[in-house]
């Protein structure tokens, strides 16, 4: 196998993450895959090793286990050159409204989970003066909408967190990339009817992420048309906005 | 969503169901892969698509045994393993099919006479049954399921994982001989003369009549041994929209005249061609199925037992060229012995495949041709079929009834159902 740098993917069972892993592996990078479902990680590992002949290591990781989040990074034998935060949960808004459990899970996974793991990593990257951090946020975090604001607010908070982290790490030559997908065809959205032209495939998202890192981008919308859609949505004045069913 | 298979006939509304959904078994559905079958074998009101199950799981460099999910494409297998000196033992005329589809249709390639069907390269597979039980099948364990599933058109369970052998190769190049034949007798003689060469296929001119009937180019070949295994992603052209019919005619005449017939010198010529051009010439034109227009087409593929292949083909080719309905080009192949799978298509003999643009006269014509095929003791390939009648199926597939009863006995008929299975009553 090889001595190429390592990339670390948190939430590596995500359909988007699987494709991100494939792109990095096809470019020769070795991979740490971390997620809850280890038997599924084992299959992804086998696939990546067979296809691309790179090193792959897997670890059990639960983002809501905050105490462990700092330790897990210390375990990784060779520290990675880049990390991708891909885990996330999205429950139907109506059910979430009525359930403390789902509210907790949404906030703890999407926001607290991301922060607790990233602070440890930021410290290491800052000291090494190298590395990149990709956070998969969402366009749902751009404006609170009645149909999706609990999930949306965790993503909004995550986007602001990434913005601050980017600011802090700028001096240390560490890049922070905020990825804002619109709709993506994954198991998260399996039961939703998504409009074809606004929906990206996980492969497309992965390519865009790889490209954004190479090209030193700060924020990417996927597909790019979402930048303008969200801009429009943000520009609608409140008195009109509140009458919509967005 | 609206879906169709490669022939774009029929086109139907079909709802997608998911493997991990609890309501999966509430209504009958059919599994499909890359929808490269032609007719309605992979179509139903509900379908479960396997393309996202696309992981390689194990590979043994010594034996060449590969284990992977059923949704892996043959093109991925080739892309990954050709540079390492391995190639699938059986490939069809397109690489854009899933391994699940290869098993469920028990596909054959240009080497059927020398190697047999895809199932011959299969060691074992895992099948998901309606009670959520996962059944391991090989030739000794769950034997009935093994023989019912290879060629079973997705009607015996969901194929999850397959272990099959790849063969060692030492080049991406094929040494090809092209033999120009003036008529059907010459074509048959050439097939038999070259039958020791592993791969062979002939392109027949379906418009040729009388003394030219059955004129063809036979191409035979095998992998070179020059150690060149460098892989390059092949270039593709695209057919961007449905062709109006007049273009089709001039398109295919030109294709044949310029590309296939005139190009070849009389007698035998030799050259070295890329595996891609030898096995998958049509893959270089994306969406070529659109050249038949929006109503789609039928690919009619039948096989005749060897003893009657010559007279049978002569008679059927005459009807096709008189009808003016068929495409100009047809593919003729030689087949070796049949295997033990219940619905596997091949029998020892010759098979012809050609396209018919869909029209109101066509179903009737195909029915007559099919009757004639069956009278000669032949049958139609289910992977290409959209029009076969139950009675025709019953006479031509001897194990058809066994298959039907097996489905009922195991309650499979309540869960797996395609337009084809309903039409032919299996
Ligand atoms: C240009 C072209 C050339 C071809 N040449 C040849 C040839 O030379 N020889 C040949 O034999 N065939 C040939 N074919 C036909 C093709 O190889 C078969 O139809 C193949 O099965 C298509 O695979 P698919 O993944 O597209 O399957 P689909 O078309 O999606 O499905 C085909 C059948 O397989 C079943 N199936 C698919 N996946 C599963 C699964 N996981 N579990 C259970 N059932 C499943 C479906 O239910 C259906 O009955 C050709 C097709 C094309 C378009
Ligand atoms: N799909 C979309 O339309 C869309 C749009 C915008 C943004 N996004 C974002 O994109 C990211 C990837 O999502 P996806 O679409 O690829 O969805 P996905 O396939 O459902 O993946 C989400 C993954 O998150 C992991 N996860 C959930 N909770 C976790 C926890 N507590 N600890 C560790 N891992 C956990 C799960 O891993 P296990 O399987 O191991 O449990 C799951 O595989 C998410 O952040 C999502 O919010 C998606």
């Amino acid at each position: 196998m090889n001595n190429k740098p390592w990339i670390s993917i948190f939430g590596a069972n995500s359909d988007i993450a699987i494709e991100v892993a494939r792109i990095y592996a096809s470019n020769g990078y070795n991979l740490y895959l971390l997620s809850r479902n280890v038997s599924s990680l084992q299959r992804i590992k086998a696939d990546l090793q067979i296809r691309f002949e790179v090193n792959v290591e897997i670890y059990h990781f639960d983002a809501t286990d905050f105490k462990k989040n700092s330790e897990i990074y210390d375990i990784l034998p060779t520290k990675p050159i880049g990390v991708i935060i891909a885990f996330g949960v999205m429950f139907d808004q109506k059910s979430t409204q009525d359930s403390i459990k789902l509210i907790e899970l949404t906030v703890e996974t999407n926001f607290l989970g991301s922060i607790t793991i990233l602070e440890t990593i930021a410290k290491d990257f800052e000291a090494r003066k190298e590395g990149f951090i990709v956070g998969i946020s969402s366009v749902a975090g751009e404006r609170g909408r009645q149909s999706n604001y609990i999930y949306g607010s965790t993503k909004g908070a995550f986007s602001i967190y990434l913005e601050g982290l980017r600011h802090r790490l700028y001096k240390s030559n560490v890049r922070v990339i905020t990825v804002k997908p619109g709709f993506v065809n994954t198991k998260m959205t399996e039961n939703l009817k998504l409009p074809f032209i606004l929906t990206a495939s996980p492969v497309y998202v992965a390519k865009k992420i790889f490209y954004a890192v190479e090209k030193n981008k700060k924020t990417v919308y996927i597909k790019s048309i979402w930048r303008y859609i969200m801009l429009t949505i943000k520009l609608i004045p409140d008195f009109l906005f509140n009458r919509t069913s967005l | 969503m609206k879906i169709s298979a490669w022939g774009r006939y029929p086109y139907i509304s079909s709802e997608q169901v998911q493997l991990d959904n609890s309501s999966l078994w509430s209504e009958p559905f059919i599994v499909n892969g890359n929808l490269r079958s032609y007719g309605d074998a992979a179509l139903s009101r509900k379908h479960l698509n396997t393309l996202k199950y696309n992981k390689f799981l194990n590979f043994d460099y010594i034996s060449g045994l590969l284990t992977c999910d059923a949704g892996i494409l043959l093109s991925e297998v080739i892309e990954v393993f050709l540079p390492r000196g391995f190639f699938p033992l059986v490939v069809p005329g397109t690489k854009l099919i899933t391994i699940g589809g290869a098993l469920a249709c028990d596909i054959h390639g240009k080497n059927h006479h020398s190697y047999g069907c895809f199932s011959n390269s299969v060691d074992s597979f895992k099948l998901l049954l309606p009670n959520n039980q996962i059944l391991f099948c090989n030739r000794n364990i769950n034997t009935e399921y093994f023989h019912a599933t290879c060629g079973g058109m997705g009607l015996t369970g969901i194929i999850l994982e397959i272990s099959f052998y790849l063969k060692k190769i030492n080049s991406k190049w094929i040494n090809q001989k092209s033999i120009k034949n003036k008529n059907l007798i010459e074509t048959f003689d050439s097939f038999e003369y070259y039958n020791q060469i592993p791969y062979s296929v002939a392109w027949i001119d379906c418009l040729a009549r009388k003394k030219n009937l059955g004129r063809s180019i036979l191409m035979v070949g095998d992998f070179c041994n020059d150690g060149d295994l460098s892989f390059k992603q092949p270039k593709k052209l695209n057919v961007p929209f449905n062709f109006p019919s007049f273009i089709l005619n001039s398109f295919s005449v030109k294709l044949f005249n310029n590309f296939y017939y005139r190009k070849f010198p009389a007698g035998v010529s030799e050259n070295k061609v890329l595996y891609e051009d030898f096995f998958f010439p049509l893959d270089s034109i994306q969406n070529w199925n659109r050249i038949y227009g929006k109503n789609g087409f039928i690919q009619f593929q039948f096989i005749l037992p060897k003893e009657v292949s010559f007279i049978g083909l002569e008679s059927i080719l005459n009807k096709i060229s008189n009808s003016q309905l068929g495409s100009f080009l047809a593919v003729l192949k030689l087949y070796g012995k049949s295997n033990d799978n219940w619905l596997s298509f091949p029998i020892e003999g010759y098979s012809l495949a050609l396209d018919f643009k869909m029209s109101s006269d066509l179903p009737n014509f195909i029915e007559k041709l099919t009757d004639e095929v069956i009278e000669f003791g032949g049958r139609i390939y289910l992977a290409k079929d959209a029009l076969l009648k139950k009675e025709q199926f019953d006479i031509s597939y001897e194990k058809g009834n066994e298959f039907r009863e097996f489905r009922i006995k195991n309650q499979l008929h309540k869960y797996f159902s395609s337009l084809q299975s309903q039409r032919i009553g299996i």
Side-chain angles (χ1 to χ4, degrees):
Chain A
M1 304 241 169
N2 64 48
N3 294 321
K4 275 272 222 169
W6 290 75
I7 301 288
S8 186
I9 305 184
F10 294 85
N13 281 322
S14 118
D15 289 341
I16 294 175
I18 292 173
E19 295 302 334
V20 172
R22 282 185 176 176
I23 284 212
Y24 276 96
S26 74
N27 283 278
Y29 291 91
N30 298 311
L31 290 157
Y32 294 121
L33 306 179
L34 303 95
S35 216
R36 289 178 306 189
N37 184 338
V38 173
S39 66
S40 163
L41 286 182
Q42 262 153 1
R43 294 166 55 83
I44 299 171
K45 170 179 173 172
D47 181 66
L48 292 168
Q49 287 180 326
I50 294 172
R51 278 178 200 262
F52 306 109
E53 300 182 301
V54 294
N55 297 300
V56 182
E57 298 299 334
I58 59 179
Y59 297 90
H60 176 266
F61 159 75
D62 184 337
T64 59
D65 204 346
F66 310 129
K67 293 247 159 50
K68 277 213 185 127
N69 281 357
S70 58
E71 293 158 25
I72 187 116
Y73 185 74
D74 293 337
I75 296 172
L76 307 181
T78 313
K79 294 294 173 255
I81 186 75
V83 304
I84 287 114
I85 303 294
F87 56 83
V89 291
M90 181 177 79
F91 307 103
D92 146 72
Q93 166 72 24
K94 289 236 163 57
S95 327
T96 317
Q97 280 165 213
D98 299 333
S99 154
I100 305 254
K101 179 111 205 41
L102 293 185
I103 293 176
E104 269 178 4
L105 211 51
T106 309
V107 179
E108 289 187 350
T109 311
N110 298 355
F111 189 48
L112 295 179
S114 306
I115 302 188
T116 46
I117 185 73
L118 279 178
E119 281 307 311
T120 316
I121 294 168
K123 215 172 277 162
D124 177 48
F125 282 11
E126 197 170 35
R128 284 162 50 198
K129 298 210 176 318
E130 62 169 6
F132 66 85
I133 293 165
V134 173
I136 307 187
S137 184
S138 170
V139 298
E142 304 262 292
R143 184 167 193 179
R145 290 165 297 114
Q146 56 95 27
S147 57
N148 201 13
Y149 65 86
I150 298 181
Y151 169 82
S153 61
T154 63
K155 288 300 188 180
F158 186 39
S159 295
I160 293 179
Y161 169 80
L162 290 169
E163 195 176 30
L165 193 62
R166 172 158 53 240
H167 193 183
R168 163 180 159 202
L169 296 177
Y170 178 76
K171 304 183 272 304
S172 315
N173 191 33
V174 177
R175 288 165 293 146
V176 178
I177 298 111
T178 311
V179 177
K180 296 183 177 173
F183 298 130
V184 189
N185 267 321
T186 67
K187 58 184 181 299
M188 184 178 275
T189 52
E190 203 161 81
N191 297 318
L192 306 177
K193 284 217 159 56
L194 303 179
F196 180 74
I197 34 168
L198 297 180
T199 306
S201 66
V203 177
Y204 182 79
V205 177
K207 279 189 188 151
K208 285 286 201 183
I209 290 179
F210 186 79
Y211 181 81
V213 173
E214 296 289 291
K215 296 285 158 189
N216 229 336
K217 302 255 188 243
K218 295 180 187 64
T219 301
V220 273
Y221 289 79
I222 306 170
K223 303 170 163 187
S224 13
I225 185 174
W226 280 100
R227 182 186 293 272
Y228 307 101
I229 296 176
M230 294 322 293
L231 191 67
T232 316
I233 292 183
K234 280 189 283 186
L235 286 174
I236 306 176
D238 275 345
F239 76 93
L240 281 178
F241 182 78
N242 290 339
R243 288 177 212 180
T244 68
S245 61
L246 282 166
Chain B
M1 65 205 284
K2 283 267 197 186
I3 61 169
S4 75
W6 193 244
R8 301 163 64 84
Y9 174 87
Y11 240 103
I12 64 157
S13 298
S14 179
E15 189 188 319
Q16 191 162 352
V17 294
Q18 305 289 350
L19 203 51
D20 26 26
N21 203 314
S22 53
S23 62
L24 175 65
W25 304 109
S26 62
E27 263 188 88
F29 63 91
I30 193 71
V31 186
N32 57 36
N34 209 27
L35 287 170
R36 250 36 178 216
S37 52
Y38 281 76
D40 56 5
L43 304 180
S44 187
R45 279 194 32 238
K46 295 199 176 225
H47 69 274
L48 186 144
N49 190 271
T50 62
L51 286 177
K52 67 176 176 188
Y53 303 101
N54 63 356
K55 306 278 183 313
F56 288 110
L57 300 171
N58 197 30
F59 185 63
D60 178 6
Y61 280 90
I62 295 169
S63 66
L65 187 66
L66 173 66
T67 302
C68 66
D69 286 341
I72 285 257
L73 295 174
L74 208 54
S75 57
E76 294 176 275
V77 175
I78 294 170
E79 185 173 337
V80 170
F81 290 100
L82 182 127
R84 303 178 200 171
F86 290 94
F87 200 78
L89 279 149
V90 173
V91 298
T94 173
K95 60 186 179 309
L96 300 171
I97 68 160
T98 63
I99 304 302
L103 187 77
C105 292
D106 202 8
I107 59 153
H108 55 266
K110 294 179 171 51
N111 58 349
H112 189 274
H113 64 289
S114 60
Y115 182 78
C117 286
F118 180 76
S119 59
N120 207 19
S121 71
V122 171
D123 174 72
S124 59
F125 55 85
K126 286 185 187 163
L127 196 65
L128 180 68
L129 297 180
N131 52 11
N132 279 324
Q133 184 196 355
I134 294 176
L135 208 63
F136 175 88
C137 307
N138 65 19
R139 290 177 180 77
N140 306 313
I141 302 169
N142 295 312
T143 315
E144 281 197 319
Y145 267 100
F146 184 90
H147 293 301
T149 302
C150 297
M153 308 308 291
L155 299 168
T156 59
I158 305 170
I159 304 160
L160 297 176
E161 290 175 19
I162 304 176
S163 295
F164 64 110
Y165 289 97
L166 305 181
K167 71 170 186 175
K168 291 210 165 71
I169 53 165
N170 194 28
S171 177
K172 62 175 178 182
W173 298 96
I174 304 281
N175 276 325
Q176 173 183 277
K177 272 198 181 73
S178 308
I179 304 103
K180 194 162 177 171
N181 305 294
K182 293 204 199 76
N183 53 42
L184 197 58
I185 298 186
E186 276 196 27
T187 302
F188 271 66
D189 285 349
S190 298
F191 261 115
E192 299 299 334
Y193 182 80
Y194 290 103
N195 72 10
Q196 295 306 311
I197 300 186
Y199 299 102
S200 67
V201 65
W203 290 88
I204 286 211
D205 173 1
C206 283
L207 284 194
R209 296 196 191 197
K210 304 214 169 97
K211 67 179 200 328
N212 291 331
L213 186 84
R215 73 170 180 177
S216 75
I217 314 253
L218 172 67
M219 288 170 229
V220 298
D222 196 3
F223 283 94
C224 295
N225 192 17
D226 59 9
D228 179 5
L229 293 164
S230 56
F231 178 85
K232 261 218 305 255
Q233 204 57 259
K235 283 212 177 66
K236 282 184 195 160
L237 299 171
N238 190 8
V239 177
F241 48 79
N242 290 323
F243 274 20
S245 4
F246 70 90
I247 301 189
L248 167 65
N249 298 339
S250 50
F251 178 81
S252 31
V253 173
K254 278 211 187 88
L255 196 71
F256 186 73
N257 285 342
N258 300 340
F259 196 56
Y260 284 107
Y261 206 76
R262 293 240 173 88
K263 194 182 96 180
F264 290 95
V268 181
S269 50
E270 283 190 45
N271 53 347
K272 197 167 137 179
V273 297
L274 207 54
Y275 78 94
E276 179 77 28
D277 299 328
F278 184 75
F279 291 113
F280 317 118
L282 288 171
D283 284 352
S284 61
I285 310 168
Q286 262 177 10
N287 302 317
W288 64 260
N289 55 346
R290 291 185 187 163
I291 64 172
Y292 292 102
K294 67 174 183 345
N295 296 332
F297 66 103
I298 298 288
Q299 182 166 91
F300 185 64
Q301 179 170 6
F302 63 92
I303 191 160
L304 298 175
K306 203 153 191 178
E307 320 79 74
V308 296
S309 285
F310 186 81
I311 46 164
L313 267 174
E314 197 173 34
S315 161
I316 294 171
L317 271 175
N318 259 319
K319 297 214 166 69
I320 291 171
S321 72
N322 288 335
S323 78
Q324 307 273 342
L325 292 171
S327 58
F328 298 91
L329 277 183
V331 175
L332 185 67
K333 279 193 238 183
L334 172 64
Y335 289 67
K337 296 225 164 353
S338 57
N339 61 25
D340 293 337
N341 303 328
W342 297 357
L343 298 188
S344 223
F345 166 69
I347 52 178
E348 188 166 15
Y350 283 88
S351 140
L352 187 80
L354 79 162
D355 299 341
F356 288 96
K357 187 174 183 307
M358 195 59 202
S359 67
S360 50
D361 301 338
L362 190 63
N364 219 337
F365 181 65
I366 297 272
E367 184 177 346
K368 293 212 182 88
L369 283 187
T370 304
D371 282 339
E372 184 164 357
V373 166
I374 291 169
E375 263 167 50
F376 279 113
R379 50 166 76 149
I380 304 293
Y381 189 12
L382 295 178
K384 313 268 174 102
D385 157 63
L387 298 168
L388 189 66
K389 300 255 168 352
K390 177 174 183 297
E391 311 77 62
Q392 293 174 325
F393 170 80
D394 281 346
I395 310 173
S396 53
Y397 279 85
E398 316 87 66
K399 297 224 172 110
N401 204 39
E402 209 170 318
F403 185 83
R404 185 177 286 136
E405 284 170 1
F406 178 79
R407 292 233 307 150
I408 296 171
K409 185 179 87 193
N410 293 293
Q411 301 283 304
L412 301 168
H413 63 304
K414 291 191 178 149
Y415 301 95
F416 305 110
S417 156
S418 62
L419 295 188
Q420 180 178 62
S421 76
Q422 290 158 27
R423 177 163 41 74
I424 62 178
I426 52 174

